Amino acid sequence: MALADLLQQDAIIPALKVNSKKQLLTELAAKAAKVTGLPEREIFDVVVQRERLGSTGVGNGIAIPHGKLQSITSIVGVFARLDQPVDFEALDDQPVDLAFLLLAPEGAGADHLKALSRIARVLRDHELVTKLRATDSASAIYAFLNEEQASNAA
């Protein structure tokens, strides 16, 4: 599963200014609403509900908030690079400055897990993460994420 299948360039927020985890999730939900046409509140509620089970801050300044929605037809991602890191109650207690929101249909099952796994694997690449943190260009972020795909496919 390629990140290009999940993430369109217009779903990238290259320099997001937020002060809290809640504000970050609100902005991700707003962008996801624009990309999917679904209600922002519905997206936010699903993501917050998932966060209550445990933080999706996976460490190294990265969060992968996610949720399943009945009204979505395909797996969709939104990526944000934050201007300043925020506390996300991450597993390693480090603040988060990169977030990849993943939304999937209720019945996505294994595809949802494959997408989460793929995102986590891609964002474990320290060289890629360094490049993502060094730019505030949506097109560069999109290219870096897709370039990584090509090198992993080889």
Side-chain angles (χ1 to χ4, degrees), residues 55 57-62 89-96:
S55 177
V58 296
N60 193 32
I62 297 165
E89 301 155 357
L91 301 175
D92 64 356
D93 291 323
Q94 296 300 307
V96 161

Side-chain angles (χ1 to χ4, degrees), residues 82-117:
L82 281 60
D83 264 358
Q84 296 294 318
V86 296
D87 178 32
F88 205 87
E89 301 155 357
L91 301 175
D92 64 356
D93 291 323
Q94 296 300 307
V96 161
D97 65 344
L98 298 175
F100 198 121
L101 172 66
L102 185 70
L103 300 173
E106 283 282 346
D111 286 340
H112 179 233
L113 295 176
K114 283 181 194 167
L116 279 173
S117 173

Side-chain angles (χ1 to χ4, degrees), residues 7 17-19 24 35 41 43 48 51 60 78 90 93 98 105 113 118 125 129 131 137 142 144 148 153:
L7 183 69
K17 291 175 176 32
V18 293
N19 299 313
L24 170 57
V35 172
R41 186 71 205 193
I43 295 167
V48 168
E51 284 298 318
N60 193 32
V78 173
D93 291 323
L98 298 175
L113 295 176
R118 182 72 188 132
D125 179 333
V129 167
K131 287 181 188 177
S137 159
Y142 186 73
F144 290 146
E148 197 284 335

Side-chain angles (χ1 to χ4, degrees), residues 115-129:
L116 279 173
S117 173
R118 182 72 188 132
I119 294 162
R121 208 169 29 254
V122 167
L123 294 178
R124 273 199 303 263
D125 179 333
H126 293 294
E127 192 177 311
L128 172 69
V129 167

Side-chain angles (χ1 to χ4, degrees), residues 10 13 18 23 27 35 39 47 53 61 68 76 91 110 137 144:
D10 65 350
I13 309 169
V18 293
Q23 195 177 12
E27 293 298 326
V35 172
V47 174
L53 301 174
K68 291 184 177 181
V76 175
L91 301 175
S137 159
F144 290 146

